[in-house]
Amino acid sequence: MSPYELFIGLRYTRAKRRNHFISFISLISLLGITLGMTALITVMSVMNGFQKEVRTRILGVASHIQISGIDGKLADWRRVAEEALRHPLVEGAAPYVSAQGMVSFDQVVSGVAVRGIEPAMEDKVADLARMMIDGRLDELIPGRFGIVIGSELARVLGVFTGDKIVLISPQGQVTPAGILPRLKQFTITGIFEAGHMEYDSSLVLINLSDAQKLYRMEDDQVSGVRLKLHDLFEAPQVARDLAPMISTEVHISDWSRQHANYFRAIQIEKRMLSLILALIIAVAAFNIVSTLVMAVTDKQPDIAILRTLGASPRSIMKIFIVQGTLIGVLGTMLGVISGVLLAYNVSSVIALIEGLFSVRFLSPDVYFISDIPSDPQMNDIVGVAAVSFALTLLATIYPSYRASKVNPAEALRYE
């Protein structure tokens, strides 16, 4: 592109036009691109924030990778843990016993998922200790039959720390009267709140040794080993790497399989919202078409003079591409700046709106995430900017091509 083409294109953009309506349409196009990009970047950042928040809460209780026995029992778990820890991305390992049961208190019964843990090792794979709202996780001492339950389950049962509840195991014992379920009284030593209804209402934790006794497992037997990684997004690849490293026949699964539905739903919603909001940018970008078409009509005498002075049709086309592209670049830059600023301060903006209008968008009584999280990611921002620029550049092609086809003699006939 020659300097004179760039110079004339920029001059057409900033010069005062005889037709002020063209300037107004240009301003509307620029603001449309800016607002569209601001909305798209903010929405994508908020969706990233929700995904991160849900993932953090789920994986604070669950594990990145779970190694379990084929028949539900894993012998010599220490050797399996040592073999898994040889992988450079594995940060911690802890055994667990997983089983089903029922808890009963004062004629109230609820089905639960029982997890036997080793409190001293649990911090290596989960954040349960930081989720305790009453009591401590290390109070699960072997032989004392203590139990830690979720806050929602405690509310349903109407129990508090120190109360005694009965844990019913489905593994029955044979008696003269028939097969009866095994019952064991446990003392509530703590209550946790993960912020996820599935865990808060149905998960109970007991000591690993107590779980082995209750479910008739040998001292060296567990259900499996839970692993924590340095980077949770590497879990699928690490799971594949561990398969040949474990000498025992085991089943290996990662969090992306265990909780796939949650994250797929969020990802699909993010993509659909992004597509819908991208249409705003598309509409604003194609407003540039009408702007340039009117500009070409308005500048036909100027185009004719440039052609008679020796400008080629390609040069004329480049001049109007510069004019339209400048609108797109300015709108994209302003959209990126305003979108990033809003994405990083969306919580403050929402709090201000809630204070002004006395409303609550995410009530903690209804939603388990009561604040609007935001996680702007560079890949999303760059992608949105690239799409916006591409659409604006595409919108300049037809008007610029039309300008290059102006006949100088016809344009100057009535001048």
Side-chain angles (χ1 to χ4, degrees):
M1 183 175 292
S2 303
Y4 90 89
E5 298 163 350
L6 183 63
F7 172 77
I8 296 175
L10 295 176
R11 183 176 177 83
Y12 277 0
T13 303
R14 67 176 184 270
K16 294 182 179 179
R17 301 177 176 86
R18 294 188 300 271
N19 191 341
H20 296 286
F21 185 69
I22 300 177
S23 300
F24 176 74
I25 295 297
S26 299
L27 180 61
I28 292 299
S29 301
L30 189 146
L31 292 178
I33 294 173
T34 301
L35 292 175
M37 288 198 61
T38 301
L40 185 52
I41 291 174
T42 304
V43 168
M44 294 179 73
S45 300
V46 170
M47 293 303 297
N48 290 335
F50 273 109
Q51 185 177 21
K52 182 179 179 180
E53 186 72 17
V54 172
R55 184 174 58 242
T56 300
R57 296 194 180 195
I58 289 177
L59 297 183
V61 180
S63 56
H64 294 172
I65 292 180
Q66 188 169 285
I67 303 175
S68 56
I70 298 298
D71 58 351
K73 294 183 180 180
L74 180 66
D76 196 9
W77 64 267
R78 291 179 177 83
R79 178 170 54 82
V80 173
E82 290 175 0
E83 292 173 344
L85 287 171
R86 292 173 187 169
H87 196 288
L89 294 180
V90 177
E91 183 178 331
Y96 73 94
V97 170
S98 180
Q100 300 294 319
M102 299 179 67
V103 291
S104 174
F105 178 80
D106 194 21
Q107 298 183 350
V108 179
V109 179
S110 178
V112 294
V114 182
R115 181 186 298 172
I117 63 171
E118 191 66 51
M121 303 179 67
E122 192 65 14
D123 284 342
K124 298 179 181 179
V125 297
D127 298 326
L128 284 168
R130 285 181 286 182
M131 298 178 182
M132 300 295 294
I133 59 176
D134 193 7
R136 294 197 314 251
L137 200 63
D138 56 11
E139 293 180 359
L140 294 177
I141 301 173
R144 294 189 181 180
F145 293 97
I147 189 171
V148 173
I149 66 175
S151 57
E152 184 63 22
L153 180 60
R155 186 191 66 81
V156 171
L157 296 177
V159 295
F160 302 92
T161 302
D163 290 340
K164 297 182 182 297
I165 61 176
V166 176
L167 178 58
I168 306 170
S169 167
Q171 294 180 348
Q173 54 186 357
V174 180
T175 67
I179 300 177
L180 298 178
R182 305 188 67 195
L183 309 177
K184 183 61 183 178
Q185 190 177 66
F186 282 78
T187 302
I188 299 176
T189 59
I191 298 174
F192 70 87
E193 186 171 67
H196 194 279
M197 180 63 69
E198 179 182 350
Y199 298 121
D200 290 342
S201 63
S202 61
L203 178 64
V204 299
L205 307 173
I206 61 177
N207 188 274
L208 185 70
S209 176
D210 296 341
Q212 290 171 332
K213 294 177 182 177
L214 181 64
Y215 291 97
R216 296 179 176 178
M217 301 177 73
E218 299 179 5
D219 293 341
D220 62 342
Q221 280 188 337
V222 294
S223 298
V225 176
R226 303 165 70 224
L227 306 178
K228 183 177 182 179
L229 308 181
H230 293 287
D231 184 359
L232 63 91
F233 294 106
E234 296 290 337
Q237 181 60 46
V238 174
R240 288 190 292 268
D241 295 342
L242 288 175
M245 297 175 61
I246 306 298
S247 57
T248 307
E249 188 176 0
V250 294
H251 175 71
I252 303 175
S253 62
D254 61 88
W255 66 268
S256 64
R257 295 181 182 179
Q258 298 168 358
H259 306 281
N261 290 337
Y262 285 104
F263 304 112
R264 285 176 184 170
I266 295 176
Q267 194 66 27
I268 291 173
E269 187 174 358
K270 176 184 173 182
R271 289 178 181 175
M272 296 308 299
L273 285 174
S274 300
L275 179 61
I276 293 170
L277 292 175
L279 295 177
I280 299 176
I281 300 177
V283 170
F286 283 99
N287 279 339
I288 297 175
V289 175
S290 59
T291 301
L292 292 182
V293 167
M294 288 186 290
V296 168
T297 303
D298 187 51
K299 297 294 184 181
Q300 280 193 0
D302 297 357
I303 295 171
I305 293 172
L306 288 172
R307 288 294 306 278
T308 57
L309 291 175
S312 65
R314 179 172 294 183
S315 295
I316 300 300
M317 189 173 181
K318 291 179 180 178
I319 288 172
F320 285 93
I321 287 178
V322 169
Q323 185 180 358
T325 302
L326 182 61
I327 298 174
V329 169
L330 288 176
T332 299
M333 291 177 59
L334 292 174
V336 168
I337 294 172
S338 57
V340 170
L341 289 176
L342 182 57
Y344 277 106
N345 298 279
V346 65
S347 298
S348 302
V349 174
I350 293 298
L352 178 62
I353 295 174
E354 290 177 342
L356 289 175
F357 296 98
S358 300
V359 296
R360 188 65 187 269
F361 292 107
L362 297 177
S363 173
D365 298 333
V366 180
Y367 304 99
F368 77 94
I369 298 179
S370 57
D371 297 321
I372 297 182
S374 179
D375 181 27
Q377 295 183 1
M378 184 58 65
N379 292 338
D380 292 337
I381 296 172
V382 172
V384 170
V387 170
S388 174
F389 180 75
L391 288 174
T392 55
L393 189 62
L394 182 65
T396 64
I397 293 178
Y398 170 73
S400 302
Y401 176 78
R402 181 175 172 178
S404 69
K405 296 300 181 181
V406 170
N407 190 329
E410 292 292 333
L412 294 175
R413 175 176 295 179
Y414 302 105
E415 292 295 327

